[in-house]
Amino acid sequence: MIQENSENKNSDPIRETDRKILFQESNSRCIICFEKNIKVLEIHHIIFRKNGGSNELENLCVLCRNCHAKAHKGDISIEEVFYAKIRCLYKLETAEKLLKSTSTIVNRIVLTSEKGGVGRTTLSILLSYEAAKEGKKVLLIDAAEFGFASISTIKDPQYLEYLKKTHALDPKDGITVDQYIFETNYTSLKVLPLQLYLNRTLYQASTHRMQLLDALNKIVLNYDMVFIDVDRTYSEARALSFLLADFAVIPIQSDRDGVMALKRTLRIIEMFNREKKLLPEKFGLSELQVLGVLLNKYRIKTNWERQRAFYFQKEFPKFLLKTYFCEDTKYPPFRNDYSIIPKPDSVMAFQITQLYRELKDNIELSRKEN
């Protein structure tokens, strides 16, 4: 049994940094009853101050107001509080080990552009297929407004259309985001229509963002690669995608609008990186890095287009990918059905394979540098 000593009462204040560590340790909950209302959580000295208990972290824990009062009355013993703290430390250590063992395996890549019509959804789907062909477990998250990536890949697109038309779900129904992961025609590729889920559950940013981000963070740990299709329409799905992703691929066209769209996209990535720094460390989110800028639908037929190409090479030498996409006359133009897979001997198939390999090399290089 832990013995209380009778030294002079400790009156030193608890350091603010230690308070933050304790709340992280307990996952911002009471370690006895798991109350998570931040307004009633307090710091408790396991060995009381009046008995000489120090302000060292091993003697401090987080309790709710009710359990704190019970601990001081003796209704909750010192041993109970002590072993509750040990359980918290064990869970924290296990979570950190899990995070370290998986963070270098799961690659979360968001494809985004502040300009439409640049082939973003097509690239998201074809890169997902390419990774699945390699035998990797792949999740395609569709965070775009119209959900073309989901419609084009899900095994039963009619069921998806049915879900779109049905009434919104009540949170009391208990439908979680992992229940919205659907099978595709590839056994190792699954799709999550995130925007549809958010539309049906009526999630609001101010109240549910952290819970949903935590759920998504746990889901992606089951996959080797995650591709996220994000459009330029602001939505909660878009915000969650930028927070979740490790890397960004930005497809653009080599025209004036493409330059402006690229600059806007880079500013948005910078904005979400600032927000990531404010999130609790338990999410284990890394800074969103630009994996590369892809010149899509690339062609040089005029002197103006040649000058524009030189401009991109000079202005964005660090971002510009070596792989670029020229137009493939055999591959169908822009449409709402993206399910057509290019033939193995086509220009598009070759370009996708080259792009996928370059992205993998860039990810490996980035991981080593960091």
Side-chain angles (χ1 to χ4, degrees), residues 3-97:
Q3 298 294 325
E4 298 180 355
N5 59 42
S6 57
E7 296 178 10
N8 295 330
K9 180 179 177 180
N10 166 26
S11 58
D12 296 332
I14 300 169
R15 292 179 298 179
E16 190 60 32
T17 53
D18 288 344
R19 287 180 179 275
K20 291 180 180 179
I21 292 171
L22 290 166
F23 273 85
Q24 180 185 345
E25 173 188 291
S26 67
N27 198 18
S28 297
R29 296 184 180 190
C30 171
I31 65 171
I32 299 294
C33 70
F34 310 114
E35 171 63 55
K36 55 185 179 181
N37 182 358
I38 197 77
K39 294 180 180 179
V40 300
L41 297 182
E42 301 170 345
I43 303 298
H44 171 63
H45 288 74
I46 300 175
I47 303 297
F48 300 158
R49 283 176 184 262
K50 66 180 181 180
N51 295 326
S54 71
N55 286 354
E56 297 298 321
L57 286 171
E58 57 264 28
N59 190 51
L60 301 174
C61 65
V62 176
L63 296 181
C64 69
R65 197 171 295 151
N66 185 39
C67 290
H68 198 178
K70 287 182 179 180
H72 279 274
K73 287 179 181 178
D75 294 339
I76 298 176
S77 68
I78 293 176
E79 286 80 8
E80 285 180 86
V81 179
F82 180 72
Y83 287 118
K85 181 175 175 70
I86 290 177
R87 285 196 301 271
C88 280
L89 291 171
Y90 174 76
K91 287 179 182 177
L92 182 64
E93 184 182 5
T94 304
E96 286 176 345
K97 286 180 179 178

Side-chain angles (χ1 to χ4, degrees), residues 27 52 59 72 84 86 97 106 136 160 181 187 231 244 288 324 344 350 360:
N27 198 18
N59 190 51
H72 279 274
I86 290 177
K97 286 180 179 178
V106 183
K136 295 186 180 296
L160 202 64
I181 298 175
T187 53
D231 60 14
L244 188 68
L288 181 55
Y324 61 86
F350 172 77
K360 282 205 306 179

Side-chain angles (χ1 to χ4, degrees), residues 206-220:
S206 58
T207 55
H208 296 92
R209 177 179 288 186
M210 292 301 100
Q211 293 95 316
L212 189 52
L213 183 60
D214 189 38
L216 290 168
N217 212 17
K218 291 174 182 176
I219 287 171
V220 299

Side-chain angles (χ1 to χ4, degrees), residues 109 126-128 130-132 134 136 138 225 227 323 325 351-361:
I109 305 170
L126 295 184
L127 284 170
S128 298
E130 193 70 24
E134 200 179 47
K136 295 186 180 296
V138 184
M225 296 197 79
F227 291 95
T323 306
F325 277 33
Q351 292 175 148
I352 284 291
T353 301
Q354 291 300 108
L355 173 61
Y356 177 67
R357 288 174 180 172
E358 185 175 355
L359 293 180
K360 282 205 306 179
D361 290 342

Side-chain angles (χ1 to χ4, degrees), residues 55-322:
N55 286 354
E56 297 298 321
L57 286 171
E58 57 264 28
N59 190 51
L60 301 174
C61 65
V62 176
L63 296 181
C64 69
R65 197 171 295 151
N66 185 39
C67 290
H68 198 178
K70 287 182 179 180
H72 279 274
K73 287 179 181 178
D75 294 339
I76 298 176
S77 68
I78 293 176
E79 286 80 8
E80 285 180 86
V81 179
F82 180 72
Y83 287 118
K85 181 175 175 70
I86 290 177
R87 285 196 301 271
C88 280
L89 291 171
Y90 174 76
K91 287 179 182 177
L92 182 64
E93 184 182 5
T94 304
E96 286 176 345
K97 286 180 179 178
L98 178 63
L99 183 61
K100 288 178 181 177
S101 66
T102 56
S103 61
T104 56
I105 298 174
V106 183
N107 297 312
R108 315 167 191 191
I109 305 170
V110 60
L111 284 95
T112 184
S113 177
E114 287 300 294
K115 183 179 182 299
V118 293
R120 186 201 67 251
T121 299
T122 299
L123 289 169
S124 301
I125 294 171
L126 295 184
L127 284 170
S128 298
Y129 281 149
E130 193 70 24
K133 279 182 356 187
E134 200 179 47
K136 295 186 180 296
K137 287 184 66 179
V138 184
L139 177 65
L140 173 58
I141 298 179
D142 185 358
E145 182 181 10
F146 296 107
F148 292 139
S150 303
I151 295 169
S152 303
T153 55
I154 192 172
K155 265 188 176 181
D156 187 2
Q158 291 183 345
Y159 178 64
L160 202 64
E161 289 295 334
Y162 163 76
L163 290 178
K164 282 185 177 182
K165 295 174 183 176
T166 52
H167 61 84
L169 293 168
D170 191 307
K172 295 178 182 178
D173 293 341
I175 304 297
T176 55
V177 66
D178 59 302
Q179 292 175 274
Y180 262 63
I181 298 175
F182 297 104
E183 301 285 341
T184 67
N185 293 322
Y186 275 87
T187 53
S188 57
L189 170 63
K190 294 185 179 179
V191 62
L192 167 59
L194 182 59
Q195 184 60 59
L196 173 61
Y197 173 76
L198 293 172
N199 288 344
R200 296 201 70 216
T201 51
L202 300 178
Y203 265 91
Q204 300 298 318
S206 58
T207 55
H208 296 92
R209 177 179 288 186
M210 292 301 100
Q211 293 95 316
L212 189 52
L213 183 60
D214 189 38
L216 290 168
N217 212 17
K218 291 174 182 176
I219 287 171
V220 299
L221 293 177
N222 297 313
Y223 298 88
D224 301 317
M225 296 197 79
V226 178
F227 291 95
I228 312 172
D229 181 28
V230 179
D231 60 14
R232 55 184 172 161
T233 306
Y234 183 81
S235 65
E236 186 59 19
R238 181 175 185 258
L240 286 164
S241 299
F242 276 109
L243 293 173
L244 188 68
D246 299 321
F247 303 103
V249 176
I250 309 171
I252 61 170
Q253 289 179 254
S254 56
D255 53 25
R256 185 175 180 179
D257 290 341
V259 175
M260 300 305 293
L262 175 57
K263 290 181 177 179
R264 288 196 302 272
T265 306
L266 293 175
R267 285 198 296 270
I268 289 168
I269 289 172
E270 186 180 347
M271 178 188 75
F272 278 105
N273 276 335
R274 288 197 297 269
E275 185 174 340
K276 279 188 176 187
K277 291 178 181 179
L278 302 175
L279 293 175
E281 291 182 10
K282 70 171 185 174
F283 290 112
L285 301 174
S286 59
E287 182 176 316
L288 181 55
Q289 301 176 57
V290 177
L291 207 55
V293 174
L294 174 70
L295 286 176
N296 198 16
K297 302 180 182 178
Y298 190 51
R299 60 184 182 183
I300 300 179
K301 293 183 178 179
T302 66
N303 188 51
W304 181 87
E305 289 173 335
R306 189 175 293 107
Q307 289 176 350
R308 183 60 61 182
F310 285 136
Y311 171 81
F312 269 101
Q313 291 171 347
K314 181 182 177 181
E315 191 74 10
F316 308 104
K318 292 182 180 179
F319 295 144
L320 209 58
L321 291 166
K322 295 176 183 176

